[in-house]
Amino acid sequence: MTPGRILALQTATILACLALWEGAARIWGGPYSVMPSVSAVLADMVANHAALARGILRTLTETVLGFAAGAAFGFLAGAAFAQFRLLERLLLPLLVVSQTVPVIAFGALVVIWFGNGILSKVVIAFYLTFFPVTVNTLRGLMSVDPQRVDLMRSFGASAWTLFWRLRLPFALPAIMASLLLGVSLSLVGAIVGEWFGDTVGLGIMLVQAMYAENMPRLWSVVVACGVLGAGLYGILAAIERRFVWWGREL
Amino acid sequence: MTDPASDAIIELAGISRTFGGGAGRVVAIDGVDLRVGRGEFVTLVGPSGCGKSTLFNIAAGLADADPGGEIRFGGQRHAGRDLLGRVSFMPQRDLLLPWRRVIDNAILALEVEGMRRADARARALAMMPEFGLAGFERHYPHQLSGGMRQRVALIRTFLFERDLMLLDEPFGALDALTRTMMQRWLLDVWQRHRRSILFITHDVDEAIFLGDRVVVMTARPGRIKLDVAVDLPRPRPAHVATSAGFLRIKSALLDAIEEESMKSFTMAGH
């Protein structure tokens, strides 16, 4: 089957499922049913588009900032641990312990420390992102085949050259995998962070819709969250396919 | 008159290497004396585990020998690590970097030396036809056959222009036909560039066909057991392998290797 035909079939399958959903909701659902119809959700998205766009923009900003900070910190920490093994022995256990506390447990604390604004959400998104990036950077850098290191050394390579020409490219597929995980976690962090108090953002819109028992609204925000998550993941996955494709060849 | 000893590119005298201590102590090589003359092609054969690779790592400066031995490189005495960057070393596996195109794998050593990328590429490009890689410059390693990958590794080794090349079973993983082609081709390239080569192999025919001298190592601990000059005229045609001179050397080598292989076999089997 050609890729075009597969795509057409996939689209048709999705449309069929939506039609089924629409039909089922119309037959069994009422205005306050737990499953609003697809058309009701779409209608709400259109009617509420300004607030939805504002919410998406806010949550996107929190996610991207927290992700960028977490990725940068995670990479630097992983690279430092790989270079200075004593540092790893001293600090990595602390990072592991920090990750055993579920983020919800100290969300309130973060809000008190960093205020009710965007910063506290960025911090939570950061907290969820940096750890997988640290671990994968460390693992990736350490897993370089010693024979390759020997070959580079026989050319007279310095530690610096070894890092840039060998270790880093070798570790990139592992780092990239952690970034894909990290961006999804970062979005979770931003949404959950908003639950602890805010006025704008998809997370707070979810809570408001829940208390108002506004089912079409709840679903339209869920869809927005899904689109946001898929979009961020898709961008990173495209970058991986284009620029860091050699994971299988190592 | 020049002293013949100073005409050697590398001379190892009394080189040993011991791993571990106490009950787990392993003597990998023990008092090896080995000399490679300028422009000479020396092949090294021996049973597996005889410490050939250890010897290579020492000659490349990647590992230190036990104190007491002496390494002379270009007539001067050196500690092992000084040799890093002075010997062109090719390990058994091609170890190409999968994220670099053929041309950029070829220039890896030049880049490490600090040559400008454009200059390095121009030099590599000029050598591609000689290595049978013309037209494949922009391929990635995973798009190449085993024989071609090995040639990329060889061009990388050749471009790192050092007087001594250490080749560790470069054709070991290739099928017999490709291997024969690569041997003929290597001799051809060597005769034009006249580097000194120390070449490890398992294959006695290969060792005789290529070498000016064949050196046989003993089973662990590795020592030099035999050092035979191959007095066959060059260029050597493929059918040299059936000549009387070739067979005479071969039978001497096989006797020595079999004796050593039996030793390492019974050692491993106890």
Side-chain angles (χ1 to χ4, degrees):
Chain A
M1 233 188 298
T2 64
R5 288 199 62 160
I6 292 175
L7 188 68
L9 269 175
Q10 283 171 334
T11 315
T13 312
I14 292 169
L15 288 177
C17 287
L18 288 176
L20 212 62
W21 177 359
E22 178 75 23
R26 286 197 181 202
I27 294 167
W28 292 293
Y32 294 102
S33 102
V34 288
M35 279 299 271
S37 67
V38 177
S39 55
V41 174
L42 284 175
D44 181 78
M45 288 176 95
V46 172
N48 192 37
H49 71 273
L52 205 56
R54 211 164 50 240
I56 288 177
L57 191 64
R58 173 64 180 267
T59 303
L60 175 68
T61 311
E62 294 161 358
T63 305
V64 169
L65 289 178
F67 170 73
F73 177 86
F75 173 74
L76 291 175
F81 290 166
Q83 204 64 39
F84 309 104
R85 304 313 305 276
L86 182 65
L87 214 57
E88 183 207 339
R89 300 275 292 274
L90 296 177
L91 296 181
L92 190 62
L94 292 180
L95 296 187
V96 173
V97 168
S98 82
Q99 294 297 307
T100 58
V101 182
V103 66
I104 314 269
F106 69 90
L109 207 59
V110 172
V111 170
I112 290 167
W113 282 348
F114 296 98
N116 220 351
I118 192 166
L119 185 60
S120 53
K121 287 77 180 177
V122 172
V123 168
I124 293 176
F126 163 85
Y127 172 85
L128 286 178
T129 305
F130 84 85
F131 187 70
V133 180
T134 304
V135 171
N136 273 28
T137 304
L138 176 61
R139 285 225 184 105
L141 290 173
M142 297 312 294
S143 67
V144 180
D145 181 349
Q147 287 188 318
R148 289 178 192 274
V149 176
D150 277 352
L151 181 66
M152 294 289 278
R153 285 177 56 221
S154 85
F155 296 148
S158 61
W160 183 253
T161 308
L162 263 177
F163 181 82
W164 286 107
R165 300 259 192 261
L166 179 65
R167 291 190 191 278
L168 181 62
F170 202 90
L172 274 181
I175 296 174
M176 208 58 215
S178 72
L179 293 181
L180 284 168
L181 177 64
V183 80
S184 308
L185 288 171
S186 186
L187 178 61
V188 171
I191 290 171
V192 171
E194 291 170 9
W195 292 353
F196 291 97
D198 208 328
T199 49
V200 205
L202 293 177
I204 203 66
M205 288 171 81
L206 278 173
V207 174
Q208 286 165 350
M210 183 178 81
Y211 285 128
E213 292 186 36
N214 184 342
M215 293 311 288
R217 173 64 48 80
L218 199 49
W219 274 97
S220 73
V221 179
V222 166
V223 169
C225 290
V227 169
L228 196 54
L232 289 170
Y233 189 94
I235 290 169
L236 280 179
I239 291 174
E240 181 186 37
R241 268 200 305 280
R242 178 77 183 75
F243 297 106
V244 195
W245 47 267
W246 54 85
R248 280 171 298 119
E249 314 290 339
L250 293 176
Chain B
M1 282 297 284
T2 51
D3 175 15
S6 72
D7 213 31
I9 179 71
I10 194 166
E11 263 187 292
L12 307 176
I15 294 296
S16 305
R17 172 77 170 155
T18 314
F19 293 102
R25 199 174 104 107
V26 174
V27 181
I29 52 176
D30 184 21
V32 167
D33 300 314
L34 183 64
R35 174 182 178 283
V36 180
R38 284 195 189 274
E40 198 179 18
F41 198 137
V42 177
T43 50
L44 188 66
V45 286
S48 13
C50 73
K52 290 176 298 217
S53 297
T54 307
L55 190 64
F56 253 41
N57 283 339
I58 291 171
L62 290 165
D64 283 321
D66 294 346
E70 188 177 288
I71 302 172
R72 284 180 166 274
F73 186 82
Q76 288 181 344
R77 212 181 151 152
H78 281 285
R81 308 267 161 178
D82 299 346
L83 295 177
L84 279 180
R86 308 184 62 155
V87 171
S88 169
F89 169 70
M90 179 173 164
Q92 246 172 67
R93 289 164 53 211
D94 60 64
L95 300 179
L96 299 178
L97 301 178
W99 55 86
R100 283 179 166 241
R101 297 179 189 277
V102 164
I103 183 99
D104 290 333
N105 265 293
I107 64 167
L108 184 63
L110 298 179
E111 244 185 275
V112 170
E113 283 187 285
M115 187 184 280
R116 275 186 43 223
R117 214 179 244 221
D119 298 343
R121 279 185 181 151
R123 281 184 56 187
L125 209 56
M127 282 182 95
M128 288 288 169
E130 194 182 346
F131 284 72
L133 291 165
F136 290 93
E137 298 85 6
R138 295 188 52 77
H139 282 58
Y140 283 100
H142 71 266
Q143 297 169 307
L144 303 181
S145 67
M148 294 187 84
R149 292 176 61 112
Q150 217 58 29
R151 286 202 291 261
V152 179
L154 274 163
I155 200 173
R156 183 184 62 198
T157 315
F158 266 83
L159 277 170
F160 187 54
E161 288 190 1
R162 295 298 181 267
D163 294 331
L164 176 63
M165 292 177 57
L166 302 177
L167 308 180
D168 188 355
E169 284 192 58
F171 309 142
L174 303 179
D175 62 87
L177 198 61
T178 315
R179 193 174 179 153
T180 312
M181 300 300 293
M182 294 288 288
Q183 289 166 358
R184 306 252 294 271
W185 167 86
L186 176 66
L187 278 186
D188 214 43
V189 176
W190 170 71
Q191 264 154 357
R192 252 173 292 149
H193 295 263
R194 275 293 163 180
R195 309 269 181 81
S196 320
I197 296 183
L198 183 58
F199 185 107
I200 290 183
T201 176
H202 266 114
D203 180 339
V204 176
D205 286 298
E206 182 170 75
I208 305 169
F209 183 68
L210 294 176
D212 292 320
R213 269 165 52 219
V214 182
V215 176
V216 181
M217 279 181 82
T218 62
R220 177 165 288 170
R223 295 191 188 94
I224 303 299
K225 185 183 178 76
L226 202 63
D227 189 333
V228 191
V230 182
D231 46 6
L232 303 169
R234 294 184 190 271
R236 294 175 184 162
H239 61 75
V240 76
T242 55
S243 71
F246 189 100
L247 294 175
R248 200 182 57 244
I249 298 169
K250 185 172 175 178
S251 79
L253 291 175
L254 284 178
D255 286 346
I257 292 169
E258 177 165 278
E259 203 181 310
E260 290 309 316
S261 298
M262 285 309 289
K263 262 197 247 168
S264 64
F265 189 73
T266 40
M267 270 187 334
H270 65 182

